[in-house]
Amino acid sequence: GMRVNVFHQKDEKPNAQSMGSIFPLVAPRLVNVRNQGEWNDIRILSDWPKLQVWVNGEMVQDLDVSAHPELKYRLRRGYLGLVNLSYPVRFRNFRIRELPAKDRWEPLYTGPADAGKWFISEGKPQLDLLGEVIYVDGAGHWATKEKFRDFELQLYIRGCRYHNGGVLFRSEGHGTKGF
C-alpha cells in the first residue's frame, strides 16, 4: 500500500518524511502545517494512476503513480488505516466517497458461446458446458487463449469432497508444464 505522512514538524525544505509526503519515497511540493494544537485538514484523491494530496487547502502532491518506479506496482485497492507511532494523535470528521469504477469486468465464461475463448492446454479433460457452469472431469487443463498481466479474478468453485484442482495464472499455456 501507500502512506501519506502526517507529521507536525514544519520542515524548511520538504523531504520524504515531511507532512504530506508519500512516505518514505516522495517529498511534498511544500510543507503546510498549522501550529501545534490546531487541526490540519488533509484530503487525498486516489484515482489510479493519479494521486493528489492537499494539506490545509494547498496541493502538496500531484503524482502519476504509474510513472514512479517504486509505486507503480503497489496495491491498487485495499483497506484504509491509521498509523500512530506512540505519540498521541487525534483524527476527526472522516469521510470517504468512492469514485466511479474504471475497472471493467471481462467475462471469461458465461455460457457455451464463450468456449471459443479457451483451449485445452494439457491432457484430456472432459468438459461439459452446462449453461453458465463448466463441468470438468479427468486430468488436464483448459486455458484462455488471451494472455493477462495484472488482474483480479472472481469465480465460484464447487467440487466433491476429495477434488484436486486449482487456478493456473501467468502460465505459458502448457498446463502444469508452463509454470
Side-chain angles (χ1 to χ4, degrees), residues 157-178:
I157 300 173
R158 184 174 70 191
C160 65
R161 184 173 179 188
Y162 297 109
H163 79 281
N164 185 4
V167 176
L168 297 176
F169 60 95
R170 292 194 173 148
S171 76
E172 294 182 13
H174 306 294
T176 56
K177 298 174 191 160

Side-chain angles (χ1 to χ4, degrees), residues 96-153:
I96 191 167
R97 176 176 55 98
E98 280 198 90
L99 301 175
K102 291 181 182 177
D103 297 336
R104 178 180 69 78
W105 287 94
E106 178 181 334
L108 295 176
Y109 185 86
T110 58
D114 289 330
K117 297 178 183 179
W118 297 78
F119 71 100
I120 294 175
S121 61
E122 182 182 34
K124 295 182 180 180
Q126 297 171 341
L127 302 166
D128 287 321
L129 308 179
L130 309 170
E132 295 180 348
V133 176
I134 304 168
Y135 179 85
V136 184
D137 198 357
H141 302 97
W142 206 34
T144 59
K145 290 180 178 176
E146 184 178 348
K147 291 183 180 180
F148 298 93
R149 184 176 169 244
D150 295 332
F151 63 87
E152 178 178 4
L153 180 68

Side-chain angles (χ1 to χ4, degrees), residues 10-25:
K10 292 184 179 184
D11 296 317
E12 204 171 292
K13 182 180 178 195
N15 63 65
Q17 286 79 37
S18 295
M19 168 73 131
S21 68
I22 307 304
F23 183 81
L25 301 168

Side-chain angles (χ1 to χ4, degrees), residues 36-170:
Q36 274 192 307
E38 294 184 50
W39 289 96
N40 289 283
D41 175 15
I42 297 175
R43 178 176 169 230
I44 301 168
L45 175 66
S46 180
D47 189 14
W48 184 264
K50 178 173 43 176
L51 175 61
Q52 295 176 316
V53 178
W54 292 261
V55 175
N56 299 319
E58 292 191 67
M59 184 181 287
V60 298
Q61 295 284 356
D62 188 11
L63 291 176
D64 175 354
V65 177
S66 66
H68 196 287
E70 295 202 36
L71 295 175
K72 67 181 178 181
Y73 295 114
R74 301 272 177 109
L75 292 176
R76 294 185 191 179
R77 74 180 67 214
Y79 299 100
L80 296 173
L82 304 174
V83 177
N84 183 23
L85 301 174
S86 301
Y87 295 96
V89 179
R90 291 169 180 83
F91 300 91
R92 72 174 190 186
N93 295 344
F94 267 89
R95 295 178 296 175
I96 191 167
R97 176 176 55 98
E98 280 198 90
L99 301 175
K102 291 181 182 177
D103 297 336
R104 178 180 69 78
W105 287 94
E106 178 181 334
L108 295 176
Y109 185 86
T110 58
D114 289 330
K117 297 178 183 179
W118 297 78
F119 71 100
I120 294 175
S121 61
E122 182 182 34
K124 295 182 180 180
Q126 297 171 341
L127 302 166
D128 287 321
L129 308 179
L130 309 170
E132 295 180 348
V133 176
I134 304 168
Y135 179 85
V136 184
D137 198 357
H141 302 97
W142 206 34
T144 59
K145 290 180 178 176
E146 184 178 348
K147 291 183 180 180
F148 298 93
R149 184 176 169 244
D150 295 332
F151 63 87
E152 178 178 4
L153 180 68
Q154 182 178 1
L155 68 148
Y156 295 97
I157 300 173
R158 184 174 70 191
C160 65
R161 184 173 179 188
Y162 297 109
H163 79 281
N164 185 4
V167 176
L168 297 176
F169 60 95
R170 292 194 173 148

